[in-house]
Amino acid sequence: MKDSYFLTILMFFAMIMTPSNLLAEGAERMLPKKVIFETDMSTDVDDVGALAVLHALADNGEAEILAISFNEVHPSAANAICAINTWYNRGNIPIGVYKGDLADPDESSYLDALANFTHNLPINPTPSSLELYLQVLSEQPDNSVTIISVGFLNNLYDLLKTNPDLITQKVTELVVMAVLIDDPYNTVRHGLINQSEYVIHNWPTPLVISQHGESVHTGARLSETPAENPVQEAFYQRFNGQYKGRSSWDQLAVLYGVRGIGDYFAEITEGKGRLSNGYEWEMKPGFRSYLDPRLSDSEYVHIVEDLMIKPPRR
C-alpha cells in the first residue's frame, strides 16, 4: 500500500514537471541565431542571394539579424543593403561600412539600381563597421553571436586588432566563405592577404571555412517574384536583363551559419588550410574546421532558391 502511494506521488510530480521542462528545452532550441552578416556585395550577386536567405530564415524565426557590415567600398552599398532590408520589413537593421582605403575598388552592375528602391538608412551618416561591431557586440549576451563573412576580412581584422577580448566574450563562431586551399578571391583581393592571415591565425573562437557552392546555381526563379523586390532587380541587372542562376557560395555559408551542419554538411576537423602566400593552419576540433557537402547540388538548389524567393513576412 505504501509503495503504491509513493508511486502515485512520483507519477504526479512527473506529470506536472515534464511539460514545463519540455517547454523550456523547446524554447531553448527555438531561440533564433544572432547573426552579423559581413559582405562585399558589389561585383557578384550571391551576396544579395545570401542576404535574401538570411531574411527568409529570420522570417522563419531561425535567425535574428543584428547588423550588416560592408567590407568593400562603394557609395551606393549602404543604401542598397538598406533597400533589401526594407523589402523584408527590417529597414532598421544597422549597417556599417569599411572606411579605409582599398586598392582597386570593385564596381557593381546593380548597387546603384538597388539604392533607388524604397529605404531610409537607420543611421546617417553610416558608421564604420568597426564602430558598429564594437557597439552591437557590447550589447549582446556573452557567447551569443555568429558572424557570417562572405567577403573580405578587413573589417574583422580591424575588430580583432582593436578589441580581441570582446570577440572572445561575445562571439560563438565565425563562418568564413573562402576556398580552403589557395583561395583566389576573398582572402587575397585588394592586397588583403596579410589581414586574412592575421584573422585566421588569431581569431579566438571557432572558425569554420565554407567553400562549396560553385556548382549550385540559384536565382533564375526570382523571375517569379514581384518587380518591387530588390533581390530580383540585382540578379536582373547582373545578367543584363535576364534571370539566370549563379553560383551560391554565400548562400550556403548562411545556411550553415544559421542551421548548422544538420543533414546539409559534414564538419571536417582534420587536415590543413592554406592561403596563397604559403601560410597554413591546422584543423582542430572545436576551433578550426571546414565544411563538406552532404547533399546533391540539385537538393541545395531547391533549399536555397525556396528561401531566396520566399515572400517577406507581412
PDB file of all heavy atoms in Angstrom, residues 99-135:
ATOM      1  N   LYS A  99      35.702  52.034 -43.943  1.00  0.00           N
ATOM      2  CA  LYS A  99      36.043  53.426 -44.253  1.00  0.00           C
ATOM      3  C   LYS A  99      37.535  53.627 -44.491  1.00  0.00           C
ATOM      4  O   LYS A  99      38.006  54.769 -44.520  1.00  0.00           O
ATOM      5  CB  LYS A  99      35.529  54.344 -43.147  1.00  0.00           C
ATOM      6  CG  LYS A  99      33.999  54.392 -43.092  1.00  0.00           C
ATOM      7  CD  LYS A  99      33.470  55.563 -42.315  1.00  0.00           C
ATOM      8  CE  LYS A  99      31.953  55.641 -42.442  1.00  0.00           C
ATOM      9  NZ  LYS A  99      31.385  56.790 -41.703  1.00  0.00           N
ATOM     10  N   GLY A 100      38.255  52.528 -44.660  1.00  0.00           N
ATOM     11  CA  GLY A 100      39.650  52.638 -45.044  1.00  0.00           C
ATOM     12  C   GLY A 100      39.801  52.694 -46.551  1.00  0.00           C
ATOM     13  O   GLY A 100      38.818  52.813 -47.294  1.00  0.00           O
ATOM     14  N   ASP A 101      41.007  52.598 -47.010  1.00  0.00           N
ATOM     15  CA  ASP A 101      41.291  52.583 -48.443  1.00  0.00           C
ATOM     16  C   ASP A 101      41.483  51.151 -48.922  1.00  0.00           C
ATOM     17  O   ASP A 101      42.118  50.345 -48.251  1.00  0.00           O
ATOM     18  CB  ASP A 101      42.559  53.394 -48.742  1.00  0.00           C
ATOM     19  CG  ASP A 101      42.395  54.875 -48.431  1.00  0.00           C
ATOM     20  OD1 ASP A 101      41.285  55.400 -48.653  1.00  0.00           O
ATOM     21  OD2 ASP A 101      43.370  55.489 -47.944  1.00  0.00           O
ATOM     22  N   LEU A 102      40.926  50.861 -50.091  1.00  0.00           N
ATOM     23  CA  LEU A 102      41.123  49.560 -50.727  1.00  0.00           C
ATOM     24  C   LEU A 102      41.773  49.772 -52.083  1.00  0.00           C
ATOM     25  O   LEU A 102      41.361  50.653 -52.845  1.00  0.00           O
ATOM     26  CB  LEU A 102      39.800  48.813 -50.913  1.00  0.00           C
ATOM     27  CG  LEU A 102      39.149  48.169 -49.690  1.00  0.00           C
ATOM     28  CD1 LEU A 102      37.893  47.417 -50.116  1.00  0.00           C
ATOM     29  CD2 LEU A 102      40.100  47.247 -48.962  1.00  0.00           C
ATOM     30  N   ALA A 103      42.753  48.955 -52.385  1.00  0.00           N
ATOM     31  CA  ALA A 103      43.369  49.011 -53.704  1.00  0.00           C
ATOM     32  C   ALA A 103      42.389  48.481 -54.751  1.00  0.00           C
ATOM     33  O   ALA A 103      41.806  47.409 -54.570  1.00  0.00           O
ATOM     34  CB  ALA A 103      44.649  48.170 -53.711  1.00  0.00           C
ATOM     35  N   ASP A 104      42.172  49.234 -55.810  1.00  0.00           N
ATOM     36  CA  ASP A 104      41.349  48.781 -56.937  1.00  0.00           C
ATOM     37  C   ASP A 104      39.938  48.392 -56.487  1.00  0.00           C
ATOM     38  O   ASP A 104      39.541  47.237 -56.597  1.00  0.00           O
ATOM     39  CB  ASP A 104      42.027  47.603 -57.642  1.00  0.00           C
ATOM     40  CG  ASP A 104      41.329  47.223 -58.937  1.00  0.00           C
ATOM     41  OD1 ASP A 104      40.635  48.075 -59.509  1.00  0.00           O
ATOM     42  OD2 ASP A 104      41.481  46.048 -59.356  1.00  0.00           O
ATOM     43  N   PRO A 105      39.146  49.337 -55.973  1.00  0.00           N
ATOM     44  CA  PRO A 105      37.786  49.007 -55.518  1.00  0.00           C
ATOM     45  C   PRO A 105      36.949  48.377 -56.633  1.00  0.00           C
ATOM     46  O   PRO A 105      37.091  48.712 -57.809  1.00  0.00           O
ATOM     47  CB  PRO A 105      37.212  50.365 -55.107  1.00  0.00           C
ATOM     48  CG  PRO A 105      38.402  51.204 -54.820  1.00  0.00           C
ATOM     49  CD  PRO A 105      39.471  50.749 -55.784  1.00  0.00           C
ATOM     50  N   ASP A 106      36.067  47.468 -56.250  1.00  0.00           N
ATOM     51  CA  ASP A 106      35.238  46.761 -57.219  1.00  0.00           C
ATOM     52  C   ASP A 106      34.055  47.619 -57.657  1.00  0.00           C
ATOM     53  O   ASP A 106      33.467  48.359 -56.864  1.00  0.00           O
ATOM     54  CB  ASP A 106      34.722  45.450 -56.620  1.00  0.00           C
ATOM     55  CG  ASP A 106      35.826  44.429 -56.459  1.00  0.00           C
ATOM     56  OD1 ASP A 106      36.794  44.482 -57.236  1.00  0.00           O
ATOM     57  OD2 ASP A 106      35.717  43.579 -55.555  1.00  0.00           O
ATOM     58  N   GLU A 107      33.698  47.476 -58.909  1.00  0.00           N
ATOM     59  CA  GLU A 107      32.499  48.125 -59.431  1.00  0.00           C
ATOM     60  C   GLU A 107      31.305  47.190 -59.241  1.00  0.00           C
ATOM     61  O   GLU A 107      31.460  46.025 -58.871  1.00  0.00           O
ATOM     62  CB  GLU A 107      32.695  48.473 -60.905  1.00  0.00           C
ATOM     63  CG  GLU A 107      33.817  49.480 -61.153  1.00  0.00           C
ATOM     64  CD  GLU A 107      33.979  49.830 -62.619  1.00  0.00           C
ATOM     65  OE1 GLU A 107      33.303  49.189 -63.453  1.00  0.00           O
ATOM     66  OE2 GLU A 107      34.773  50.733 -62.929  1.00  0.00           O
ATOM     67  N   SER A 108      30.124  47.719 -59.515  1.00  0.00           N
ATOM     68  CA  SER A 108      28.914  46.917 -59.373  1.00  0.00           C
ATOM     69  C   SER A 108      27.938  47.227 -60.498  1.00  0.00           C
ATOM     70  O   SER A 108      27.773  48.391 -60.893  1.00  0.00           O
ATOM     71  CB  SER A 108      28.237  47.190 -58.025  1.00  0.00           C
ATOM     72  OG  SER A 108      27.035  46.458 -57.916  1.00  0.00           O
ATOM     73  N   SER A 109      27.280  46.181 -60.974  1.00  0.00           N
ATOM     74  CA  SER A 109      26.281  46.347 -62.028  1.00  0.00           C
ATOM     75  C   SER A 109      24.888  46.583 -61.458  1.00  0.00           C
ATOM     76  O   SER A 109      23.951  46.852 -62.225  1.00  0.00           O
ATOM     77  CB  SER A 109      26.253  45.093 -62.910  1.00  0.00           C
ATOM     78  OG  SER A 109      25.941  43.946 -62.131  1.00  0.00           O
ATOM     79  N   TYR A 110      24.729  46.509 -60.127  1.00  0.00           N
ATOM     80  CA  TYR A 110      23.372  46.547 -59.574  1.00  0.00           C
ATOM     81  C   TYR A 110      23.201  47.436 -58.340  1.00  0.00           C
ATOM     82  O   TYR A 110      22.080  47.794 -57.990  1.00  0.00           O
ATOM     83  CB  TYR A 110      22.890  45.137 -59.234  1.00  0.00           C
ATOM     84  CG  TYR A 110      23.756  44.394 -58.236  1.00  0.00           C
ATOM     85  CD1 TYR A 110      23.598  44.594 -56.868  1.00  0.00           C
ATOM     86  CD2 TYR A 110      24.728  43.498 -58.656  1.00  0.00           C
ATOM     87  CE1 TYR A 110      24.388  43.922 -55.954  1.00  0.00           C
ATOM     88  CE2 TYR A 110      25.520  42.822 -57.751  1.00  0.00           C
ATOM     89  CZ  TYR A 110      25.347  43.035 -56.398  1.00  0.00           C
ATOM     90  OH  TYR A 110      26.134  42.367 -55.495  1.00  0.00           O
ATOM     91  N   LEU A 111      24.272  47.814 -57.631  1.00  0.00           N
ATOM     92  CA  LEU A 111      24.100  48.549 -56.380  1.00  0.00           C
ATOM     93  C   LEU A 111      23.404  49.895 -56.597  1.00  0.00           C
ATOM     94  O   LEU A 111      22.541  50.290 -55.795  1.00  0.00           O
ATOM     95  CB  LEU A 111      25.447  48.760 -55.693  1.00  0.00           C
ATOM     96  CG  LEU A 111      26.054  47.545 -54.996  1.00  0.00           C
ATOM     97  CD1 LEU A 111      27.408  47.895 -54.406  1.00  0.00           C
ATOM     98  CD2 LEU A 111      25.126  46.998 -53.912  1.00  0.00           C
ATOM     99  N   ASP A 112      23.761  50.613 -57.659  1.00  0.00           N
ATOM    100  CA  ASP A 112      23.115  51.907 -57.917  1.00  0.00           C
ATOM    101  C   ASP A 112      21.618  51.738 -58.139  1.00  0.00           C
ATOM    102  O   ASP A 112      20.805  52.541 -57.646  1.00  0.00           O
ATOM    103  CB  ASP A 112      23.747  52.590 -59.128  1.00  0.00           C
ATOM    104  CG  ASP A 112      25.154  53.098 -58.855  1.00  0.00           C
ATOM    105  OD1 ASP A 112      25.526  53.229 -57.672  1.00  0.00           O
ATOM    106  OD2 ASP A 112      25.898  53.332 -59.834  1.00  0.00           O
ATOM    107  N   ALA A 113      21.247  50.688 -58.869  1.00  0.00           N
ATOM    108  CA  ALA A 113      19.823  50.448 -59.122  1.00  0.00           C
ATOM    109  C   ALA A 113      19.087  50.113 -57.832  1.00  0.00           C
ATOM    110  O   ALA A 113      17.973  50.602 -57.583  1.00  0.00           O
ATOM    111  CB  ALA A 113      19.659  49.326 -60.139  1.00  0.00           C
ATOM    112  N   LEU A 114      19.687  49.308 -56.973  1.00  0.00           N
ATOM    113  CA  LEU A 114      19.039  48.929 -55.724  1.00  0.00           C
ATOM    114  C   LEU A 114      18.890  50.117 -54.789  1.00  0.00           C
ATOM    115  O   LEU A 114      17.921  50.208 -54.028  1.00  0.00           O
ATOM    116  CB  LEU A 114      19.835  47.820 -55.022  1.00  0.00           C
ATOM    117  CG  LEU A 114      19.399  46.375 -55.327  1.00  0.00           C
ATOM    118  CD1 LEU A 114      19.457  46.078 -56.814  1.00  0.00           C
ATOM    119  CD2 LEU A 114      20.247  45.391 -54.539  1.00  0.00           C
ATOM    120  N   ALA A 115      19.842  51.038 -54.856  1.00  0.00           N
ATOM    121  CA  ALA A 115      19.780  52.218 -53.983  1.00  0.00           C
ATOM    122  C   ALA A 115      18.576  53.096 -54.289  1.00  0.00           C
ATOM    123  O   ALA A 115      18.201  53.943 -53.462  1.00  0.00           O
ATOM    124  CB  ALA A 115      21.065  53.029 -54.117  1.00  0.00           C
ATOM    125  N   ASN A 116      17.946  52.906 -55.454  1.00  0.00           N
ATOM    126  CA  ASN A 116      16.754  53.675 -55.815  1.00  0.00           C
ATOM    127  C   ASN A 116      15.469  53.065 -55.266  1.00  0.00           C
ATOM    128  O   ASN A 116      14.399  53.678 -55.380  1.00  0.00           O
ATOM    129  CB  ASN A 116      16.647  53.799 -57.335  1.00  0.00           C
ATOM    130  CG  ASN A 116      17.719  54.705 -57.917  1.00  0.00           C
ATOM    131  OD1 ASN A 116      18.074  55.715 -57.319  1.00  0.00           O
ATOM    132  ND2 ASN A 116      18.233  54.345 -59.082  1.00  0.00           N
ATOM    133  N   PHE A 117      15.551  51.865 -54.692  1.00  0.00           N
ATOM    134  CA  PHE A 117      14.371  51.253 -54.095  1.00  0.00           C
ATOM    135  C   PHE A 117      14.086  51.917 -52.739  1.00  0.00           C
ATOM    136  O   PHE A 117      14.957  52.542 -52.132  1.00  0.00           O
ATOM    137  CB  PHE A 117      14.585  49.750 -53.908  1.00  0.00           C
ATOM    138  CG  PHE A 117      14.401  48.945 -55.161  1.00  0.00           C
ATOM    139  CD1 PHE A 117      15.275  49.076 -56.234  1.00  0.00           C
ATOM    140  CD2 PHE A 117      13.358  48.045 -55.281  1.00  0.00           C
ATOM    141  CE1 PHE A 117      15.120  48.331 -57.393  1.00  0.00           C
ATOM    142  CE2 PHE A 117      13.174  47.292 -56.440  1.00  0.00           C
ATOM    143  CZ  PHE A 117      14.058  47.441 -57.498  1.00  0.00           C
ATOM    144  N   THR A 118      12.865  51.768 -52.270  1.00  0.00           N
ATOM    145  CA  THR A 118      12.434  52.390 -51.021  1.00  0.00           C
ATOM    146  C   THR A 118      13.332  51.985 -49.858  1.00  0.00           C
ATOM    147  O   THR A 118      13.589  50.797 -49.638  1.00  0.00           O
ATOM    148  CB  THR A 118      10.986  51.994 -50.703  1.00  0.00           C
ATOM    149  OG1 THR A 118      10.140  52.419 -51.776  1.00  0.00           O
ATOM    150  CG2 THR A 118      10.521  52.624 -49.403  1.00  0.00           C
ATOM    151  N   HIS A 119      13.805  52.989 -49.121  1.00  0.00           N
ATOM    152  CA  HIS A 119      14.606  52.712 -47.922  1.00  0.00           C
ATOM    153  C   HIS A 119      14.834  54.019 -47.178  1.00  0.00           C
ATOM    154  O   HIS A 119      14.631  55.102 -47.722  1.00  0.00           O
ATOM    155  CB  HIS A 119      15.958  52.091 -48.289  1.00  0.00           C
ATOM    156  CG  HIS A 119      16.901  53.034 -48.946  1.00  0.00           C
ATOM    157  ND1 HIS A 119      16.822  53.373 -50.284  1.00  0.00           N
ATOM    158  CD2 HIS A 119      17.937  53.755 -48.438  1.00  0.00           C
ATOM    159  CE1 HIS A 119      17.767  54.243 -50.577  1.00  0.00           C
ATOM    160  NE2 HIS A 119      18.467  54.506 -49.476  1.00  0.00           N
ATOM    161  N   ASN A 120      15.249  53.903 -45.947  1.00  0.00           N
ATOM    162  CA  ASN A 120      15.614  55.050 -45.122  1.00  0.00           C
ATOM    163  C   ASN A 120      16.701  54.574 -44.165  1.00  0.00           C
ATOM    164  O   ASN A 120      16.420  53.836 -43.225  1.00  0.00           O
ATOM    165  CB  ASN A 120      14.401  55.582 -44.356  1.00  0.00           C
ATOM    166  CG  ASN A 120      14.720  56.856 -43.600  1.00  0.00           C
ATOM    167  OD1 ASN A 120      15.725  57.520 -43.874  1.00  0.00           O
ATOM    168  ND2 ASN A 120      13.881  57.193 -42.633  1.00  0.00           N
ATOM    169  N   LEU A 121      17.925  54.984 -44.409  1.00  0.00           N
ATOM    170  CA  LEU A 121      19.042  54.490 -43.607  1.00  0.00           C
ATOM    171  C   LEU A 121      18.781  54.716 -42.121  1.00  0.00           C
ATOM    172  O   LEU A 121      18.430  55.819 -41.702  1.00  0.00           O
ATOM    173  CB  LEU A 121      20.336  55.189 -44.015  1.00  0.00           C
ATOM    174  CG  LEU A 121      20.973  54.714 -45.326  1.00  0.00           C
ATOM    175  CD1 LEU A 121      22.117  55.653 -45.719  1.00  0.00           C
ATOM    176  CD2 LEU A 121      21.490  53.288 -45.195  1.00  0.00           C
ATOM    177  N   PRO A 122      18.966  53.669 -41.299  1.00  0.00           N
ATOM    178  CA  PRO A 122      18.674  53.805 -39.871  1.00  0.00           C
ATOM    179  C   PRO A 122      19.666  54.687 -39.136  1.00  0.00           C
ATOM    180  O   PRO A 122      19.330  55.270 -38.107  1.00  0.00           O
ATOM    181  CB  PRO A 122      18.744  52.358 -39.364  1.00  0.00           C
ATOM    182  CG  PRO A 122      19.633  51.657 -40.330  1.00  0.00           C
ATOM    183  CD  PRO A 122      19.385  52.310 -41.650  1.00  0.00           C
ATOM    184  N   ILE A 123      20.905  54.784 -39.638  1.00  0.00           N
ATOM    185  CA  ILE A 123      21.921  55.658 -39.052  1.00  0.00           C
ATOM    186  C   ILE A 123      22.544  56.455 -40.189  1.00  0.00           C
ATOM    187  O   ILE A 123      23.069  55.884 -41.139  1.00  0.00           O
ATOM    188  CB  ILE A 123      23.021  54.856 -38.320  1.00  0.00           C
ATOM    189  CG1 ILE A 123      22.422  53.841 -37.348  1.00  0.00           C
ATOM    190  CG2 ILE A 123      23.968  55.791 -37.581  1.00  0.00           C
ATOM    191  CD1 ILE A 123      23.445  52.906 -36.735  1.00  0.00           C
ATOM    192  N   ASN A 124      22.487  57.769 -40.074  1.00  0.00           N
ATOM    193  CA  ASN A 124      23.011  58.619 -41.142  1.00  0.00           C
ATOM    194  C   ASN A 124      23.796  59.773 -40.528  1.00  0.00           C
ATOM    195  O   ASN A 124      23.248  60.525 -39.738  1.00  0.00           O
ATOM    196  CB  ASN A 124      21.848  59.160 -41.988  1.00  0.00           C
ATOM    197  CG  ASN A 124      22.286  59.581 -43.367  1.00  0.00           C
ATOM    198  OD1 ASN A 124      23.468  59.609 -43.687  1.00  0.00           O
ATOM    199  ND2 ASN A 124      21.308  59.942 -44.197  1.00  0.00           N
ATOM    200  N   PRO A 125      25.091  59.903 -40.809  1.00  0.00           N
ATOM    201  CA  PRO A 125      25.850  59.108 -41.781  1.00  0.00           C
ATOM    202  C   PRO A 125      26.120  57.688 -41.288  1.00  0.00           C
ATOM    203  O   PRO A 125      26.119  57.423 -40.091  1.00  0.00           O
ATOM    204  CB  PRO A 125      27.161  59.899 -41.920  1.00  0.00           C
ATOM    205  CG  PRO A 125      27.309  60.602 -40.612  1.00  0.00           C
ATOM    206  CD  PRO A 125      25.918  60.968 -40.190  1.00  0.00           C
ATOM    207  N   THR A 126      26.330  56.813 -42.257  1.00  0.00           N
ATOM    208  CA  THR A 126      26.589  55.410 -41.945  1.00  0.00           C
ATOM    209  C   THR A 126      27.900  55.273 -41.176  1.00  0.00           C
ATOM    210  O   THR A 126      28.927  55.809 -41.583  1.00  0.00           O
ATOM    211  CB  THR A 126      26.660  54.590 -43.246  1.00  0.00           C
ATOM    212  OG1 THR A 126      25.438  54.768 -43.962  1.00  0.00           O
ATOM    213  CG2 THR A 126      26.869  53.120 -42.946  1.00  0.00           C
ATOM    214  N   PRO A 127      27.884  54.547 -40.045  1.00  0.00           N
ATOM    215  CA  PRO A 127      29.111  54.408 -39.252  1.00  0.00           C
ATOM    216  C   PRO A 127      30.095  53.446 -39.903  1.00  0.00           C
ATOM    217  O   PRO A 127      29.744  52.687 -40.812  1.00  0.00           O
ATOM    218  CB  PRO A 127      28.592  53.846 -37.923  1.00  0.00           C
ATOM    219  CG  PRO A 127      27.363  53.081 -38.306  1.00  0.00           C
ATOM    220  CD  PRO A 127      26.742  53.853 -39.439  1.00  0.00           C
ATOM    221  N   SER A 128      31.317  53.484 -39.418  1.00  0.00           N
ATOM    222  CA  SER A 128      32.280  52.478 -39.855  1.00  0.00           C
ATOM    223  C   SER A 128      31.871  51.124 -39.293  1.00  0.00           C
ATOM    224  O   SER A 128      31.206  51.034 -38.251  1.00  0.00           O
ATOM    225  CB  SER A 128      33.686  52.835 -39.374  1.00  0.00           C
ATOM    226  OG  SER A 128      33.807  52.616 -37.975  1.00  0.00           O
ATOM    227  N   SER A 129      32.282  50.087 -39.978  1.00  0.00           N
ATOM    228  CA  SER A 129      31.979  48.736 -39.496  1.00  0.00           C
ATOM    229  C   SER A 129      32.593  48.485 -38.129  1.00  0.00           C
ATOM    230  O   SER A 129      32.004  47.810 -37.286  1.00  0.00           O
ATOM    231  CB  SER A 129      32.471  47.703 -40.503  1.00  0.00           C
ATOM    232  OG  SER A 129      31.675  47.726 -41.668  1.00  0.00           O
ATOM    233  N   LEU A 130      33.785  49.017 -37.913  1.00  0.00           N
ATOM    234  CA  LEU A 130      34.422  48.836 -36.608  1.00  0.00           C
ATOM    235  C   LEU A 130      33.572  49.445 -35.504  1.00  0.00           C
ATOM    236  O   LEU A 130      33.331  48.797 -34.466  1.00  0.00           O
ATOM    237  CB  LEU A 130      35.818  49.453 -36.613  1.00  0.00           C
ATOM    238  CG  LEU A 130      36.566  49.399 -35.276  1.00  0.00           C
ATOM    239  CD1 LEU A 130      36.738  47.969 -34.796  1.00  0.00           C
ATOM    240  CD2 LEU A 130      37.911  50.101 -35.399  1.00  0.00           C
ATOM    241  N   GLU A 131      33.109  50.670 -35.703  1.00  0.00           N
ATOM    242  CA  GLU A 131      32.236  51.301 -34.707  1.00  0.00           C
ATOM    243  C   GLU A 131      30.991  50.451 -34.459  1.00  0.00           C
ATOM    244  O   GLU A 131      30.562  50.258 -33.304  1.00  0.00           O
ATOM    245  CB  GLU A 131      31.807  52.687 -35.185  1.00  0.00           C
ATOM    246  CG  GLU A 131      32.901  53.724 -35.275  1.00  0.00           C
ATOM    247  CD  GLU A 131      32.400  55.008 -35.902  1.00  0.00           C
ATOM    248  OE1 GLU A 131      32.033  55.001 -37.103  1.00  0.00           O
ATOM    249  OE2 GLU A 131      32.376  56.021 -35.191  1.00  0.00           O
ATOM    250  N   LEU A 132      30.412  49.946 -35.541  1.00  0.00           N
ATOM    251  CA  LEU A 132      29.188  49.164 -35.421  1.00  0.00           C
ATOM    252  C   LEU A 132      29.439  47.865 -34.659  1.00  0.00           C
ATOM    253  O   LEU A 132      28.658  47.489 -33.774  1.00  0.00           O
ATOM    254  CB  LEU A 132      28.620  48.866 -36.811  1.00  0.00           C
ATOM    255  CG  LEU A 132      27.240  48.212 -36.833  1.00  0.00           C
ATOM    256  CD1 LEU A 132      26.188  49.140 -36.257  1.00  0.00           C
ATOM    257  CD2 LEU A 132      26.865  47.814 -38.257  1.00  0.00           C
ATOM    258  N   TYR A 133      30.518  47.171 -34.990  1.00  0.00           N
ATOM    259  CA  TYR A 133      30.839  45.933 -34.277  1.00  0.00           C
ATOM    260  C   TYR A 133      31.001  46.186 -32.783  1.00  0.00           C
ATOM    261  O   TYR A 133      30.465  45.436 -31.951  1.00  0.00           O
ATOM    262  CB  TYR A 133      32.132  45.325 -34.829  1.00  0.00           C
ATOM    263  CG  TYR A 133      31.928  44.343 -35.953  1.00  0.00           C
ATOM    264  CD1 TYR A 133      32.395  44.628 -37.233  1.00  0.00           C
ATOM    265  CD2 TYR A 133      31.289  43.118 -35.742  1.00  0.00           C
ATOM    266  CE1 TYR A 133      32.219  43.731 -38.273  1.00  0.00           C
ATOM    267  CE2 TYR A 133      31.117  42.215 -36.781  1.00  0.00           C
ATOM    268  CZ  TYR A 133      31.580  42.525 -38.037  1.00  0.00           C
ATOM    269  OH  TYR A 133      31.394  41.625 -39.062  1.00  0.00           O
ATOM    270  N   LEU A 134      31.754  47.204 -32.429  1.00  0.00           N
ATOM    271  CA  LEU A 134      32.008  47.472 -31.016  1.00  0.00           C
ATOM    272  C   LEU A 134      30.711  47.748 -30.268  1.00  0.00           C
ATOM    273  O   LEU A 134      30.520  47.281 -29.132  1.00  0.00           O
ATOM    274  CB  LEU A 134      32.963  48.659 -30.881  1.00  0.00           C
ATOM    275  CG  LEU A 134      34.390  48.428 -31.405  1.00  0.00           C
ATOM    276  CD1 LEU A 134      35.197  49.725 -31.335  1.00  0.00           C
ATOM    277  CD2 LEU A 134      35.097  47.316 -30.639  1.00  0.00           C
ATOM    278  N   GLN A 135      29.800  48.472 -30.904  1.00  0.00           N
ATOM    279  CA  GLN A 135      28.535  48.786 -30.247  1.00  0.00           C
ATOM    280  C   GLN A 135      27.628  47.561 -30.169  1.00  0.00           C
ATOM    281  O   GLN A 135      27.109  47.228 -29.090  1.00  0.00           O
ATOM    282  CB  GLN A 135      27.820  49.911 -30.984  1.00  0.00           C
ATOM    283  CG  GLN A 135      26.451  50.248 -30.379  1.00  0.00           C
ATOM    284  CD  GLN A 135      25.706  51.314 -31.148  1.00  0.00           C
ATOM    285  OE1 GLN A 135      26.303  52.044 -31.940  1.00  0.00           O
ATOM    286  NE2 GLN A 135      24.402  51.404 -30.936  1.00  0.00           N
TER     287      GLN A 135
END
